Amino acid sequence: MKKFKIAVIPGDGIGTEVINEGIKVLKKIEELEPSISFEFETFPWGCEYYLKTGKMMDENGMEILKNFDAIYLGAVGFPGVPDHISLWDLLLRIRKGFDQYINIRPVKLLKGAPCPLKDVKREEIDMLFIRENSEGEYAGAGDWLFKGKPNEVVLQTGVFSRKGTERVIRYAYEIARKEGKTLTSISKANALNYSMVFWDEVFQEVGKEYPDVKTYSYLVDAAAMFMVKDPKRFEVVVTSNLFGDILTDLGAAIAGGMGLAAGANLNPEKEFPSMFEPIHGSAPDIAGKEISNPLASIWSVSQMMDFFGYEDWGKKVLDAIEELLVEGKTLTPDLGGTAKTSEIGEAINKILEKK
Ligand code: NAD
Ligand code: IPM
Ligand code: MN
């Protein structure tokens, strides 16, 4: 029997709604798979907690989380707490503190999922984004000088270390090799004349060890255009922290919407726990209405099962999501249905029971 300890951080807004459905699915897996057991512990950290305590997480929160096999997170951020505080003190603190330097974000148009693009075949939208997740534009290095004065100056410095750049690029080459897919690097060396020139050089350099992997390199502006006009160009993609953030929301838009976009924040060495989450935010505009789509959150359960070495369950969960979409009967309003958030986990579990 393998036992996995999962720290649950529902967070804010729809985070709490969608995470419940993912937990239902994890409990169903536990019930159906005799060799797995889960132990859940839920932490009330987030913006409400901040308004009560002045902190986004417990003082020793990172110490506590360290003992878990995985973290399952809903979403963080809500009006009333400045975003740069809520996100830096919780989500980004975990990603950075646990050196979750790989962010895996599939952009795959499942059967039955809506797509706004014309003249594109379903199977042509099947990308795997590998986003640098520990430094780059998100290094948090900078300064704010002469605040409020006429000579006010703000600095936000990108930090691209050799170690940080090489490891994410190498990880992407390994995946492309393993899956027999092409690898595309997305950067911006024409304007960012230090960081992205370096990124491109490292991409070339590491590539020498992978002569079998066919590569492409795009500027980020052109890449955004091609993702819409000719998405089949992209298979495995590696890019920086900020570009990966932006392009995967674009990816969500062409692959069924924010309710179907999942992400895994991995510390591949397993020195620290990895974290699984939908890529969307707390959606204050629909929070509390019970209409949020939890399928992204459930897709991240599939990623968690892959990471635990239960790829069969990872596949079953993803197949169940696809079946639900094809059936089209139990869907939330963003996908054209009338179902409530709380009906989705159960509907997925019914499909899983038949698998
Ligand atoms: P958002 O992703 O929360 O919402 C963007 C739009 O997509 C909204 O119209 C929302 O209703 C819709 N949407 C998102 N997820 C949905 C779902 N599961 N089902 C149906 N519709 C969905 O982005 P935002 O509005 O820019 O940000 C809101 C807050 O969330 C901010 O505080 C932001 O900083 C934070 N945020 C957190 C995370 C995270 O925790 N990982 C990610 C992104 C944004
Ligand atoms: C995401 C989010 C975060 C990011 C924010 C909330 C800091 O947008 O996970 O995509 O930019 O990484
Ligand atoms: Mn984002």
Side-chain angles (χ1 to χ4, degrees), residues 73 75-77 83-84 86-88 91-92 95 103 105 131-133 138 241-242 244-246 248-249 258 263 265 277-282:
L73 184 129
V76 179
D83 270 351
H84 67 277
S86 56
L87 274 312
W88 270 92
L91 180 80
L92 295 177
R95 284 185 188 163
N103 190 196
R105 296 187 163 189
R131 167 191 182 193
E132 203 295 316
N133 211 32
Y138 283 43
N241 213 331
L242 180 63
D245 174 47
I246 298 167
T248 53
D249 262 37
M258 292 310 287
N265 305 273
E277 53 165 352
I279 81 163
H280 61 70
S282 58

Side-chain angles (χ1 to χ4, degrees), residues 10-12 14-15 17-18 47 73-79 81-84 86-87 91 95 105 131 245 249 257-261 265 275 277-287 291-297 332-335 341:
D12 304 310
I14 65 165
E17 301 171 14
V18 296
C47 288
L73 184 129
V76 179
F78 218 70
V81 182
D83 270 351
H84 67 277
S86 56
L87 274 312
L91 180 80
R95 284 185 188 163
R105 296 187 163 189
R131 167 191 182 193
D245 174 47
D249 262 37
M258 292 310 287
L260 273 167
N265 305 273
M275 177 163 66
E277 53 165 352
I279 81 163
H280 61 70
S282 58
D285 54 342
I286 58 164
I291 54 169
S292 58
N293 182 354
L295 290 175
S297 198
T332 44
D334 57 308
L335 296 175
T341 310

